[in-house]
mmCIF file of all heavy atoms in Angstrom:
data_model
loop_
_atom_site.group_PDB
_atom_site.id
_atom_site.type_symbol
_atom_site.label_atom_id
_atom_site.label_comp_id
_atom_site.label_asym_id
_atom_site.label_seq_id
_atom_site.Cartn_x
_atom_site.Cartn_y
_atom_site.Cartn_z
ATOM 1 N N GLY A 22 6.909 24.447 -21.497
ATOM 2 C CA GLY A 22 8.353 24.429 -21.392
ATOM 3 C C GLY A 22 8.966 24.074 -22.734
ATOM 4 O O GLY A 22 8.276 24.065 -23.758
ATOM 5 N N VAL A 34 4.928 23.093 -38.140
ATOM 6 C CA VAL A 34 5.858 23.268 -39.253
ATOM 7 C C VAL A 34 6.102 21.970 -40.015
ATOM 8 O O VAL A 34 6.093 21.958 -41.248
ATOM 9 C CB VAL A 34 7.201 23.833 -38.727
ATOM 10 C CG1 VAL A 34 8.224 23.928 -39.858
ATOM 11 C CG2 VAL A 34 6.981 25.190 -38.085
ATOM 12 N N ARG A 37 2.347 15.795 -38.732
ATOM 13 C CA ARG A 37 1.990 14.820 -37.707
ATOM 14 C C ARG A 37 3.086 13.795 -37.440
ATOM 15 O O ARG A 37 3.451 13.547 -36.286
ATOM 16 C CB ARG A 37 0.691 14.107 -38.088
ATOM 17 C CG ARG A 37 0.310 12.962 -37.139
ATOM 18 C CD ARG A 37 -1.118 12.528 -37.345
ATOM 19 N NE ARG A 37 -2.045 13.591 -36.935
ATOM 20 C CZ ARG A 37 -3.371 13.448 -36.992
ATOM 21 N NH1 ARG A 37 -3.911 12.328 -37.451
ATOM 22 N NH2 ARG A 37 -4.151 14.440 -36.596
ATOM 23 N N PRO A 39 6.479 13.695 -37.985
ATOM 24 C CA PRO A 39 7.627 14.204 -37.226
ATOM 25 C C PRO A 39 7.268 14.599 -35.795
ATOM 26 O O PRO A 39 8.069 14.406 -34.868
ATOM 27 C CB PRO A 39 8.071 15.422 -38.044
ATOM 28 C CG PRO A 39 7.592 15.147 -39.423
ATOM 29 C CD PRO A 39 6.280 14.453 -39.234
ATOM 30 N N ALA A 49 11.818 9.267 -24.480
ATOM 31 C CA ALA A 49 13.082 8.545 -24.338
ATOM 32 C C ALA A 49 14.098 9.360 -23.549
ATOM 33 O O ALA A 49 14.909 8.810 -22.798
ATOM 34 C CB ALA A 49 13.647 8.192 -25.716
ATOM 35 N N ILE A 51 13.520 11.123 -21.044
ATOM 36 C CA ILE A 51 13.236 10.930 -19.618
ATOM 37 C C ILE A 51 14.113 9.827 -19.037
ATOM 38 O O ILE A 51 14.565 9.901 -17.881
ATOM 39 C CB ILE A 51 11.743 10.575 -19.414
ATOM 40 C CG1 ILE A 51 10.845 11.733 -19.861
ATOM 41 C CG2 ILE A 51 11.458 10.185 -17.967
ATOM 42 C CD1 ILE A 51 10.907 12.942 -19.000
ATOM 43 N N ILE A 53 17.097 9.055 -19.657
ATOM 44 C CA ILE A 53 18.444 9.536 -19.321
ATOM 45 C C ILE A 53 18.456 10.104 -17.912
ATOM 46 O O ILE A 53 19.330 9.785 -17.099
ATOM 47 C CB ILE A 53 18.905 10.601 -20.332
ATOM 48 C CG1 ILE A 53 19.024 10.000 -21.727
ATOM 49 C CG2 ILE A 53 20.229 11.214 -19.893
ATOM 50 C CD1 ILE A 53 20.067 8.914 -21.833
ATOM 51 N N SER A 56 18.068 7.335 -15.393
ATOM 52 C CA SER A 56 19.255 6.489 -15.281
ATOM 53 C C SER A 56 20.300 7.095 -14.365
ATOM 54 O O SER A 56 20.829 6.425 -13.469
ATOM 55 C CB SER A 56 19.859 6.253 -16.674
ATOM 56 O OG SER A 56 18.964 5.536 -17.499
ATOM 57 N N CYS A 58 19.869 9.368 -12.110
ATOM 58 C CA CYS A 58 19.357 9.473 -10.737
ATOM 59 C C CYS A 58 19.516 8.140 -10.015
ATOM 60 O O CYS A 58 19.899 8.092 -8.841
ATOM 61 C CB CYS A 58 17.893 9.905 -10.750
ATOM 62 S SG CYS A 58 17.645 11.668 -11.069
ATOM 63 N N LEU A 64 22.962 13.472 -8.128
ATOM 64 C CA LEU A 64 23.417 14.208 -6.950
ATOM 65 C C LEU A 64 24.707 14.951 -7.251
ATOM 66 O O LEU A 64 24.906 16.094 -6.826
ATOM 67 C CB LEU A 64 23.620 13.240 -5.787
ATOM 68 C CG LEU A 64 24.030 13.868 -4.447
ATOM 69 C CD1 LEU A 64 22.971 14.847 -3.974
ATOM 70 C CD2 LEU A 64 24.262 12.775 -3.409
ATOM 71 N N SER A 69 27.549 20.127 -8.364
ATOM 72 C CA SER A 69 28.660 20.694 -9.122
ATOM 73 C C SER A 69 28.160 21.869 -9.957
ATOM 74 O O SER A 69 27.440 21.679 -10.934
ATOM 75 C CB SER A 69 29.286 19.629 -10.036
ATOM 76 O OG SER A 69 30.237 20.208 -10.900
ATOM 77 N N ASN A 74 26.329 24.118 -15.049
ATOM 78 C CA ASN A 74 26.385 25.202 -16.024
ATOM 79 C C ASN A 74 26.716 24.701 -17.423
ATOM 80 O O ASN A 74 26.214 25.234 -18.419
ATOM 81 C CB ASN A 74 27.421 26.250 -15.591
ATOM 82 C CG ASN A 74 26.925 27.106 -14.439
ATOM 83 O OD1 ASN A 74 25.721 27.275 -14.253
ATOM 84 N ND2 ASN A 74 27.841 27.647 -13.651
ATOM 85 N N LYS A 77 23.566 23.191 -18.711
ATOM 86 C CA LYS A 77 22.615 24.282 -18.950
ATOM 87 C C LYS A 77 22.939 25.017 -20.246
ATOM 88 O O LYS A 77 22.044 25.285 -21.062
ATOM 89 C CB LYS A 77 22.663 25.255 -17.771
ATOM 90 C CG LYS A 77 21.726 26.438 -17.912
ATOM 91 C CD LYS A 77 21.828 27.363 -16.713
ATOM 92 C CE LYS A 77 23.170 28.063 -16.671
ATOM 93 N NZ LYS A 77 23.235 29.080 -15.598
ATOM 94 N N THR A 82 21.959 26.430 -25.807
ATOM 95 C CA THR A 82 22.486 26.624 -27.161
ATOM 96 C C THR A 82 21.687 25.827 -28.181
ATOM 97 O O THR A 82 21.409 26.313 -29.295
ATOM 98 C CB THR A 82 23.966 26.196 -27.223
ATOM 99 O OG1 THR A 82 24.717 26.980 -26.289
ATOM 100 C CG2 THR A 82 24.531 26.390 -28.614
ATOM 101 N N GLN A 114 15.650 11.810 -37.310
ATOM 102 C CA GLN A 114 15.953 13.201 -36.970
ATOM 103 C C GLN A 114 14.929 13.765 -35.995
ATOM 104 O O GLN A 114 15.290 14.464 -35.041
ATOM 105 C CB GLN A 114 15.990 14.040 -38.246
ATOM 106 C CG GLN A 114 17.192 13.775 -39.132
ATOM 107 C CD GLN A 114 17.106 14.492 -40.464
ATOM 108 O OE1 GLN A 114 16.014 14.724 -40.989
ATOM 109 N NE2 GLN A 114 18.246 14.856 -41.026
ATOM 110 N N PHE A 120 14.550 13.898 -28.245
ATOM 111 C CA PHE A 120 15.436 13.335 -27.224
ATOM 112 C C PHE A 120 16.371 14.402 -26.664
ATOM 113 O O PHE A 120 16.497 14.550 -25.446
ATOM 114 C CB PHE A 120 16.239 12.184 -27.834
ATOM 115 C CG PHE A 120 17.231 11.564 -26.889
ATOM 116 C CD1 PHE A 120 16.821 10.606 -25.971
ATOM 117 C CD2 PHE A 120 18.561 11.949 -26.914
ATOM 118 C CE1 PHE A 120 17.731 10.035 -25.089
ATOM 119 C CE2 PHE A 120 19.473 11.389 -26.044
ATOM 120 C CZ PHE A 120 19.061 10.418 -25.131
ATOM 121 N N LEU A 136 12.562 14.430 -7.282
ATOM 122 C CA LEU A 136 11.582 13.347 -7.244
ATOM 123 C C LEU A 136 12.175 12.096 -6.605
ATOM 124 O O LEU A 136 11.552 11.468 -5.735
ATOM 125 C CB LEU A 136 11.106 13.031 -8.663
ATOM 126 C CG LEU A 136 9.890 12.110 -8.797
ATOM 127 C CD1 LEU A 136 8.637 12.806 -8.297
ATOM 128 C CD2 LEU A 136 9.717 11.677 -10.246
ATOM 129 N N ASN A 142 11.108 6.924 -1.737
ATOM 130 C CA ASN A 142 11.858 6.509 -0.552
ATOM 131 C C ASN A 142 13.101 5.729 -0.960
ATOM 132 O O ASN A 142 13.067 4.939 -1.906
ATOM 133 C CB ASN A 142 10.971 5.646 0.352
ATOM 134 C CG ASN A 142 11.554 5.507 1.747
ATOM 135 O OD1 ASN A 142 12.616 4.923 1.942
ATOM 136 N ND2 ASN A 142 10.842 6.045 2.730
ATOM 137 N N SER A 148 14.284 -2.047 -8.631
ATOM 138 C CA SER A 148 13.443 -2.474 -9.756
ATOM 139 C C SER A 148 12.143 -1.667 -9.796
ATOM 140 O O SER A 148 11.645 -1.331 -10.879
ATOM 141 C CB SER A 148 13.132 -3.973 -9.643
ATOM 142 O OG SER A 148 12.451 -4.258 -8.417
ATOM 143 N N ILE A 149 11.606 -1.336 -8.618
ATOM 144 C CA ILE A 149 10.389 -0.521 -8.568
ATOM 145 C C ILE A 149 10.682 0.897 -9.024
ATOM 146 O O ILE A 149 9.906 1.502 -9.773
ATOM 147 C CB ILE A 149 9.802 -0.513 -7.138
ATOM 148 C CG1 ILE A 149 9.430 -1.932 -6.699
ATOM 149 C CG2 ILE A 149 8.578 0.401 -7.070
ATOM 150 C CD1 ILE A 149 8.341 -2.568 -7.535
ATOM 151 N N TYR A 156 7.493 4.179 -16.450
ATOM 152 C CA TYR A 156 6.133 4.735 -16.511
ATOM 153 C C TYR A 156 6.173 6.205 -16.935
ATOM 154 O O TYR A 156 5.418 6.629 -17.818
ATOM 155 C CB TYR A 156 5.433 4.622 -15.163
ATOM 156 C CG TYR A 156 4.272 5.584 -15.039
ATOM 157 C CD1 TYR A 156 3.061 5.317 -15.661
ATOM 158 C CD2 TYR A 156 4.420 6.803 -14.360
ATOM 159 C CE1 TYR A 156 2.010 6.228 -15.601
ATOM 160 C CE2 TYR A 156 3.385 7.708 -14.293
ATOM 161 C CZ TYR A 156 2.181 7.411 -14.915
ATOM 162 O OH TYR A 156 1.147 8.320 -14.867
ATOM 163 N N CYS A 166 2.296 12.768 -27.660
ATOM 164 C CA CYS A 166 1.698 12.179 -28.864
ATOM 165 C C CYS A 166 0.242 12.630 -28.987
ATOM 166 O O CYS A 166 -0.233 12.971 -30.079
ATOM 167 C CB CYS A 166 1.779 10.658 -28.813
ATOM 168 S SG CYS A 166 3.398 9.977 -29.258
ATOM 169 N N GLY A 200 15.357 29.341 -24.532
ATOM 170 C CA GLY A 200 16.790 29.121 -24.464
ATOM 171 C C GLY A 200 17.490 30.171 -23.615
ATOM 172 O O GLY A 200 18.369 29.847 -22.813
#
Side-chain angles (χ1 to χ4, degrees):
V34 176
R37 174 166 293 181
I51 297 291
I53 296 297
S56 296
C58 283
L64 183 60
S69 172
N74 285 334
K77 179 180 68 174
T82 301
Q114 289 173 330
F120 178 82
L136 191 69
N142 196 295
S148 59
I149 299 297
Y156 160 77
C166 281

